[in-house]
Amino acid sequence: MNIDPPIFNYTEVNGILIFDRTRDNTFESKYIWVKKGIIRIGSEESPFAKKANIILHGSKNDSYVVIDGDASGNKMLAVTGGL
């Protein structure tokens, strides 16, 4: 990710979302589901030296997203892949 994208309503990660290591990053969405993928910001071997923000937007009156009986909400980061 080499830009700060606009605020997304729904983001589903089914691959690898990699944060740009050369700059600060901000990713904003109402719902983020890491379904069959990975969000890669840094690792133990290669720590992320910049600032990374993941901002969830939503209010109590927004629609709910239901992933399963245990995971639902109107502002959510759900991981069923990896993080």
Side-chain angles (χ1 to χ4, degrees), residues 5-21:
I7 299 170
F8 292 110
N9 183 54
Y10 174 79
T11 305
E12 186 174 306
V13 180
N14 286 305
I16 302 173
L17 176 62
I18 301 172
F19 280 50
D20 185 343
R21 302 180 59 74

Side-chain angles (χ1 to χ4, degrees), residues 21-33:
R21 302 180 59 74
T22 65
R23 65 184 201 75
D24 294 342
N25 293 260
T26 299
F27 188 80
E28 301 180 72
S29 186
K30 286 187 175 183
Y31 315 97
I32 302 171
W33 183 7

Side-chain angles (χ1 to χ4, degrees), residues 4-77:
D4 290 339
I7 299 170
F8 292 110
N9 183 54
Y10 174 79
T11 305
E12 186 174 306
V13 180
N14 286 305
I16 302 173
L17 176 62
I18 301 172
F19 280 50
D20 185 343
R21 302 180 59 74
T22 65
R23 65 184 201 75
D24 294 342
N25 293 260
T26 299
F27 188 80
E28 301 180 72
S29 186
K30 286 187 175 183
Y31 315 97
I32 302 171
W33 183 7
V34 183
K35 186 175 181 180
K36 295 180 182 175
I38 298 168
I39 295 176
R40 182 166 295 149
I41 299 172
S43 67
E44 187 175 348
E45 300 81 27
S46 184
F48 191 76
K50 299 293 183 175
K51 187 175 186 178
N53 294 299
I54 296 176
I55 300 171
L56 298 175
H57 292 266
S59 68
K60 66 180 180 177
N61 297 322
D62 287 342
S63 302
Y64 273 65
V65 168
V66 178
I67 292 180
D68 67 27
D70 296 323
S72 65
N74 57 359
K75 177 168 54 172
M76 173 175 39
L77 170 59

